[in-house]
Amino acid sequence: MPSSRRRWTLTRTFAVVSTVTLLLLGASLILVTVRVIERQARQDGTESAEAVQAYATAVVPEQAFALGVLDPSTDAAVQAAITGFGDRLHRLRLWTVDGALLFDSSRDETGFPDAVRLDAATRLGQTDARVVTEVDGAAMGATRTTVLDVYLPVQGAAGTIGAAQVTLDYDEPTRAIADATRTVVLVVAGGIVLTWLMLFRTVRNASRRLQVSARDNARLALVDSLTGLPNRRMLTEQLRRVLDEAHRDGTHVGLVFLDIDRFKDINDSLGHDYGDTLLQQVAERLHGAFRSQDVVARLGGDEFAVVLPDVGSVDVARRLAERVRSLFATPFMLEDLQLHVDTSVGLACLPDHADDASSLMRRADVAMYTAKTHHLSVAVYDPDDDQSSPARLVLLGDLHRALADHVELAMYYQPKIDLASGRTIGLEALMRWHHPTRGLVPPDVFVPLAEQSGLIHDLTRVALTGTIRQLARWQADGVDVPVAVNLSAHDLTSPGVADLVEELLAEHGVPARLLQVEITETALVADPVRALATLEQLAAAGVSIAIDDFGIGNTSISQLRTLPVDRLKIDRLFIADLGTHGDEGSRDVVRAMVELAHSFGMRVVAEGVEVPETAMTLRGLGVDEAQGFLYSPAVPAADLPVEAVGWPTAAPTPATSATRTGAPGSATPNGTDAAQPLKSDEDRPDDGTGSRARRTPRARS
Ligand code: C2E
Ligand code: CA
Ligand code: CA
């Protein structure tokens, strides 16, 4: 690791610098201390020398210095005066100012003073002490003695009269100094070593701690603190590694993206603590459900990801992705609150959908949004869902053109049947796109495309204009059939759609009661305040309102009570179940919906009725209206069953619910064995739903 190398260099640099510094410091300390000891010793010696001089000169008359001669008795007196100093005094010599020897304790009559030192003592009155090593005897077996040689001025009444040269034995102090120096060196060296060790230890420990915390920080930067799962950064790194291996070994890699449906609502309504607990529980379930080589990560917010190395095929990956979804089947326990939470799961695979980490991640994300918007359990990446895929961009361009040209987009109409009377009591207008090269493009493809790209208002305008024009035509023919137009959630939350409806109705002279609008629950949840304003304006104008795809969202009927809603259209998910041996659960749900809706004065419509049994069941449950392939798919106005638009038919149409739902083996549920000219199957435009369109009499458009 480069950081640990850096840290080691740091410790070593510290070691070198601190050693040099401490050595210099120690040396200076020793030097200064030794100097002080030496100076102190010399000071002591000088004081002794002064005492010797004082004793000696006390008995010498001043004239002796002037004359340069000492009489024998004085000489003896001086000798006697200094005997008290014993061996410590090596030698005493008294000099006159001129350098004549007045007295010498060693009785050597010859000799000269050190002229410079004598001069300094006699003329400047300075005391000068010097340590001198004397070697006595021959080179072999010579004895070395160290002495302190001191020149001191001798004061007379009128000033300096001479000098005393006191030579003291200095062996003892020299030894003491050496001992002291040794001790000082030892103490200082020991101290330095100890200090250094302590400093080094402190620095090394600090450096280690730094190293550990740096490693922790690096780890934390890769781990999500709430769930302990790898974070987006680590996921990206791991994914790169896994993809490199897959490229090398030619294996498949799956990348699953998921998020928690309605997590924001949960967070907002229950609080962030609950939200956090939920995220932790989701993390635990995910973590426990995969192999050790799979990487489960939290991408942030309520988004998680699973990298599936070496998955064999897209199908295997899809099964694993479905496992993710099944992990949410058991409700989550947030303290004593039991919470059912759903998830949207998207899957993209290498090499099938992408061949590098960033596009694989983007595509898994696209798939996840597809799952969310289409209420799929698991969505595998499809380039058609990808807003930025070239195919999608081309289609978007085509939609622009189609919306401007008014040629390729057409309104088809699907009848709504009154279950009690069996009569057609209205139509739903559904848009169709006849694409010049792709053929019929279903609205499930282009409506979301328009919503995502801001073209939805143009699309709604086309739908409303086409439908209201058709209503005007029927009006002119004396046909009085209400038609429902689908509005997108985006229409409700941006201003203008209610004004547009009023304008178009007025322009074409169509009474508002003939127009219905269908809106989904999501439109109400997204921005309830603005949605309500639009709905109220529409209702005030006389337009009736139906809630579409009811039951798959989370709105309750009682929430709708305050809204100006006339109809509830039960989603075909519930209806499909009714046909198959009459699923009890769905039956109960539908029954409850019907009862509640009726109690609020709403009519109930069932969509997606495909078989007579379903229609019968629905009638039994009290559902008011039905719509579905059983009666007719959405067809162009010109192809509507005559009965649907109230056109007088040549042959009677026994359109009772009994014949529709009851006649065994009847291939034509509305019983139109009509004598009207029939349109051939070849002529009939495919409605894009793949249903078998029944032969029906042609109506005028
Ligand atoms: P929707 O409003 O729920 O429309 C009902 C859909 O169910 C239609 O699909 C219809 O063809 C289909 N359907 C009818 N009977 C049956 C049946 O018995 N079985 C089955 N399996 N399906 C049946 P379509 O026309 O493909 O439209 C799909 C969706 O696109 C519509 O769902 C609606 O949400 C949207 N859409 C269609 N036209 C427009 C439009 O002009 N404006 C807006 N904003 N959305 C539209
Ligand atoms: Ca609808
Ligand atoms: Ca619907």
Side-chain angles (χ1 to χ4, degrees):
M1 237 184 174
S3 71
S4 81
R5 194 178 310 143
R6 201 164 45 232
R7 212 116 292 131
W8 162 233
T9 322
L10 200 84
T11 319
R12 208 164 41 176
T13 311
F14 166 77
V16 171
V17 171
S18 64
T19 309
V20 170
T21 314
L22 283 180
L23 280 179
L24 284 175
L25 207 74
S28 326
L29 189 62
I30 293 169
L31 224 72
V32 169
T33 315
V34 170
R35 280 274 149 75
V36 169
I37 296 171
E38 279 174 354
R39 196 179 307 140
Q40 188 58 53
R42 202 172 307 170
Q43 183 71 41
D44 291 350
T46 308
E47 276 166 19
S48 304
E50 277 165 3
V52 172
Q53 186 244 39
Y55 273 92
T57 53
V59 294
V60 180
E62 262 190 65
Q63 311 93 284
F65 278 97
L67 294 172
V69 228
L70 207 62
D71 59 77
S73 64
T74 311
D75 191 283
V78 172
Q79 196 72 43
I82 58 172
T83 43
F85 289 98
D87 284 351
R88 274 215 61 200
L89 180 63
H90 223 254
R91 189 180 195 181
L92 170 68
R93 286 198 276 191
L94 296 175
W95 303 97
T96 66
V97 175
D98 304 327
L101 182 64
L102 203 60
F103 172 83
D104 186 346
S105 60
S106 60
R107 299 294 164 218
D108 186 352
E109 241 69 326
T110 59
F112 301 96
D114 180 325
V116 178
R117 297 175 76 198
L118 179 68
D119 212 36
T122 53
R123 290 211 297 126
L124 303 173
Q126 281 177 354
T127 302
D128 177 50
R130 284 184 190 181
V131 178
V132 181
T133 304
E134 291 178 344
V135 183
D136 284 339
M140 293 291 278
T143 53
R144 288 166 137 265
T145 38
T146 308
V147 294
L148 185 70
D149 190 45
V150 190
Y151 272 75
L152 305 139
V154 176
Q155 301 297 338
T160 309
I161 49 172
Q165 182 185 3
V166 182
T167 307
L168 292 169
D169 177 27
Y170 208 58
D171 274 336
E172 193 54 37
T174 305
R175 263 195 303 279
I177 289 171
D179 282 352
T181 305
R182 229 183 346 265
T183 312
V184 167
V185 169
L186 278 176
V187 168
V188 169
I192 282 177
V193 169
L194 273 179
T195 311
W196 188 85
L197 281 177
M198 264 162 53
L199 275 177
F200 185 76
R201 248 185 51 170
T202 313
V203 167
R204 198 195 45 193
N205 288 350
S207 141
R208 277 201 189 140
R209 271 200 301 276
L210 274 174
Q211 220 170 321
V212 169
S213 83
R215 227 179 285 136
D216 278 355
N217 285 341
R219 201 178 55 82
L220 281 181
L222 296 174
V223 168
D224 168 50
S225 54
L226 179 67
T227 61
L229 292 179
N231 63 11
R232 182 183 283 272
R233 247 181 76 188
M234 181 144 159
L235 175 94
T236 316
E237 279 177 23
Q238 300 274 48
L239 184 62
R240 292 226 167 85
R241 179 183 55 76
V242 167
L243 294 191
D244 283 348
E245 283 167 15
H247 278 303
R248 199 187 52 217
D249 308 336
T251 52
H252 289 254
V253 176
L255 178 63
V256 173
F257 267 27
L258 62 136
D259 73 359
I260 301 170
D261 293 348
R262 295 197 307 122
F263 181 74
K264 197 184 168 303
D265 292 350
I266 296 169
N267 236 356
D268 291 350
S269 54
L270 299 179
H272 292 271
D273 288 349
Y274 278 91
D276 285 356
T277 313
L278 176 63
L279 290 173
Q280 285 165 338
Q281 292 188 15
V282 168
E284 265 168 46
R285 288 193 192 181
L286 285 172
H287 187 69
F290 287 93
R291 306 168 297 176
S292 60
Q293 69 263 42
D294 301 331
V295 184
V296 178
R298 178 175 170 216
L299 300 175
D302 62 332
E303 291 190 6
F304 294 85
V306 188
V307 180
L308 305 163
D310 195 9
V311 275
S313 69
V314 177
D315 271 345
V316 177
R318 179 207 284 275
R319 277 201 291 281
L320 290 169
E322 270 156 9
R323 183 192 293 174
V324 170
R325 170 91 174 184
S326 69
L327 291 174
F328 285 71
T330 324
F332 291 84
M333 287 304 299
L334 307 182
E335 289 177 17
D336 43 6
L337 185 78
Q338 182 171 318
L339 197 68
H340 286 270
V341 180
D342 218 339
T343 174
S344 305
V345 183
L347 168 72
C349 291
L350 173 123
D352 314 78
H353 306 126
D355 50 15
D356 63 89
S358 69
S359 15
L360 192 64
M361 284 177 75
R362 216 178 44 69
R363 296 198 165 160
D365 201 35
V366 167
M368 183 178 79
Y369 275 97
T370 307
K372 194 171 276 303
T373 48
H374 292 78
H375 305 285
L376 303 171
S377 61
V378 171
V380 179
Y381 175 76
D382 179 345
D384 284 346
D385 299 326
D386 199 336
Q387 280 195 56
S388 54
S389 80
R392 191 162 177 104
L393 289 177
V394 170
L395 196 65
L396 189 61
D398 291 351
L399 185 62
H400 255 287
R401 194 203 52 233
L403 284 167
D405 290 356
H406 304 284
V407 184
E408 293 167 20
L409 298 172
M411 299 314 289
Y412 278 35
Y413 301 90
Q414 184 179 38
K416 290 184 194 172
I417 312 299
D418 176 58
L419 279 171
S421 68
R423 298 186 65 85
T424 298
I425 52 157
L427 303 168
E428 177 176 4
L430 294 159
M431 192 179 277
R432 295 290 177 265
W433 182 8
H434 297 278
H435 191 276
T437 55
R438 285 169 157 248
L440 199 76
V441 180
D444 285 337
V445 170
F446 66 83
V447 170
L449 185 65
E451 284 175 337
Q452 287 153 11
S453 57
L455 292 176
I456 188 64
H457 302 308
D458 296 337
L459 189 139
T460 302
R461 178 183 287 273
V462 169
L464 283 168
T465 312
T467 305
I468 292 172
R469 270 209 190 114
Q470 183 59 50
L471 275 170
R473 250 176 251 139
W474 280 323
Q475 278 286 96
D477 289 342
V479 174
D480 208 45
V481 62
V483 183
V485 176
N486 290 283
L487 293 187
S488 151
H490 300 258
D491 293 322
L492 287 197
T493 51
S494 46
V497 75
D499 291 343
L500 175 67
V501 166
E502 285 178 314
E503 273 165 32
L504 287 170
L505 288 173
E507 184 187 335
H508 296 278
V510 173
R513 67 179 166 80
L514 290 181
L515 187 70
Q516 297 176 352
V517 292
E518 295 189 1
I519 55 160
T520 58
E521 295 165 60
T522 37
L524 300 174
V525 178
D527 187 349
V529 177
R530 283 209 245 177
L532 183 65
T534 307
L535 293 186
E536 275 172 347
Q537 192 185 340
L538 286 170
V543 174
S544 67
I545 294 156
I547 301 294
D548 208 350
D549 304 341
F550 187 79
I552 52 170
N554 301 288
T555 332
S556 67
I557 299 182
S558 25
Q559 274 174 283
L560 302 176
R561 196 172 32 161
T562 52
L563 302 175
V565 172
D566 309 286
R567 275 184 177 73
L568 212 61
K569 296 187 75 178
I570 303 175
D571 193 77
R572 61 168 183 269
L573 257 174
F574 300 91
I575 308 304
D577 278 359
L578 291 177
T580 57
H581 326 293
D583 180 299
E584 270 307 317
S586 289
R587 200 173 291 199
D588 290 345
V589 170
V590 172
R591 186 181 290 118
M593 282 184 191
V594 171
E595 272 169 23
L596 208 57
H598 281 171
S599 76
F600 296 144
M602 299 177 204
R603 278 175 76 79
V604 180
V605 187
E607 1 174 70
V609 180
E610 296 183 346
V611 290
E613 294 77 32
T614 311
M616 210 147 65
T617 309
L618 287 169
R619 212 157 73 104
L621 290 171
V623 173
D624 305 291
E625 301 169 19
Q627 202 183 334
F629 296 161
L630 171 65
Y631 310 106
S632 168
V635 292
D639 293 343
L640 277 168
V642 167
E643 181 267 342
V645 287
W647 204 247
T649 51
T653 48
T656 63
S657 57
T659 46
R660 273 200 193 98
T661 58
S666 168
T668 55
N670 73 350
T672 41
D673 292 325
Q676 288 282 328
L678 297 179
K679 226 178 127 50
S680 72
D681 269 0
E682 294 77 50
D683 292 345
R684 175 175 298 283
D686 180 2
D687 82 327
T689 58
S691 73
R692 288 288 354 117
R694 289 167 298 104
R695 293 167 176 237
T696 49
R698 234 184 133 155
R700 256 196 337 158
S701 69

